[in-house]
Amino acid sequence: MGATVLVVEDERKLRDFIRSYLEKAGFTVLSTGSGAEAITMAAAAAPDLVVLDLGLPDVPGETVARELRAAAAAHAAPRILMLTAKSSEEDRVRGLELGADDYVTKPFSPRELVLRVQAILRRGSPAGDAEVASYGRGELVIDEPRRVVTVRGTQADLTPTEWGVLVALATVPGRVYSRFELINRVRGYEFEGYERTIDSHVKNLRRKIEDDPGSPRIITTVLGGGYRLSLARDD
Ligand code: CA
């Protein structure tokens, strides 16, 4: 893949562990245990993605995230995958709207982390770089550059919010996205609303893309969790 990832984690063992897995996956990896140093390194090396621990001893992760965003022009800012230690930190990530592209809660499997990093980078920058992706052996095709969704060969006419929800779910097929996460992810598409309003957007989306909206196969509901895209990505 060749992308550069900066790992910011003060626990040395965990840092080295993440580093070795990312290197095995083909990334160029820089690492540090200091938030202050992370800001300097990011400015010098312009990493594509920063794996950022929220709980750093010197500069809090949220401050580092803000600095990374502020230091770079919007199009050149690194993507951020936040590491959080416990559910209360998870809440901080959500509540502070850090602009993280995704987050994982410790303990996590290294494989999961690598998959998340790859998924974020594959998404490309919001400004461009987007691609055409197909799911479920071509049943669903999402053409991000042209903003066109094709289902079983027919173009679906989606509202901007429906488009945002679908693209968010397709980031990592099979992964469950909570309503709250979906709201955060479609915010870039001018969405404002509450968690339950996601349900009505999903309902409308299903009407447009499901064979039988009454028993959906493409976007499935996970009780107590949220929604997921149940088609595998064709690669
Ligand atoms: Ca820490």
Side-chain angles (χ1 to χ4, degrees):
M1 206 162 183
T4 300
V5 178
L6 170 61
V7 177
V8 189
E9 166 61 65
D10 58 301
E11 290 164 59
R12 169 173 274 282
K13 269 191 178 165
L14 181 57
R15 182 168 76 235
D16 292 346
F17 185 60
I18 295 171
R19 182 184 184 116
S20 71
Y21 268 90
L22 288 171
E23 281 174 347
K24 261 183 245 164
F27 294 102
T28 302
V29 184
L30 308 166
S31 66
T32 175
S34 145
E37 196 175 50
I39 295 166
T40 314
M41 286 172 85
D48 300 287
L49 184 141
V50 180
V51 175
L52 179 60
D53 181 28
L54 191 54
L56 294 169
D58 61 340
V59 182
E62 52 263 58
T63 306
V64 176
R66 214 173 301 128
E67 290 286 322
L68 292 177
R69 294 278 182 215
H75 67 277
R79 319 309 298 267
I80 297 174
L81 175 65
M82 197 68 93
L83 303 180
T84 72
K86 42 188 179 293
S87 54
S88 63
E89 283 192 349
E90 223 175 289
D91 292 342
R92 280 164 67 198
V93 173
R94 294 170 172 189
L96 286 166
E97 294 161 14
L98 297 168
D101 293 277
D102 204 351
Y103 65 92
V104 291
T105 306
K106 298 175 187 174
F108 50 83
S109 78
R111 190 170 169 271
E112 171 76 5
L113 182 95
V114 169
L115 285 175
R116 297 282 188 95
V117 166
Q118 288 168 336
I120 293 171
L121 290 173
R122 198 164 46 209
R123 241 188 280 159
S125 68
D129 259 32
E131 55 177 2
V132 182
S134 140
Y135 304 84
R137 295 167 192 262
E139 178 169 7
L140 174 71
V141 178
I142 301 177
D143 180 343
E144 285 204 58
R146 291 172 54 229
R147 279 205 162 211
V148 169
V149 172
T150 309
V151 189
R152 293 176 293 279
T154 306
Q155 198 169 311
D157 186 19
L158 306 185
T159 66
T161 303
E162 290 159 6
W163 163 264
V165 169
L166 184 63
V167 167
L169 290 171
T171 309
V172 182
R175 187 189 150 202
V176 180
Y177 290 87
S178 71
R179 293 172 176 82
F180 194 93
E181 262 187 291
L182 290 173
I183 287 176
N184 274 336
R185 280 161 182 269
V186 296
R187 184 168 295 146
Y189 302 95
E190 304 292 325
F191 177 72
E192 279 183 30
Y194 301 95
E195 299 197 17
R196 287 293 152 189
T197 58
I198 282 290
D199 294 348
S200 51
H201 289 295
V202 168
K203 197 174 165 194
N204 294 335
L205 187 51
R206 280 173 171 159
R207 208 174 289 145
K208 294 176 182 177
I209 68 173
E210 297 281 356
D211 236 349
D212 176 4
S215 52
R217 287 182 310 105
I218 300 178
I219 298 176
T220 51
T221 306
V222 180
L223 276 181
Y227 296 102
R228 75 168 149 230
L229 184 75
S230 288
L231 299 179
R233 187 182 156 116
D234 311 324
D235 261 320

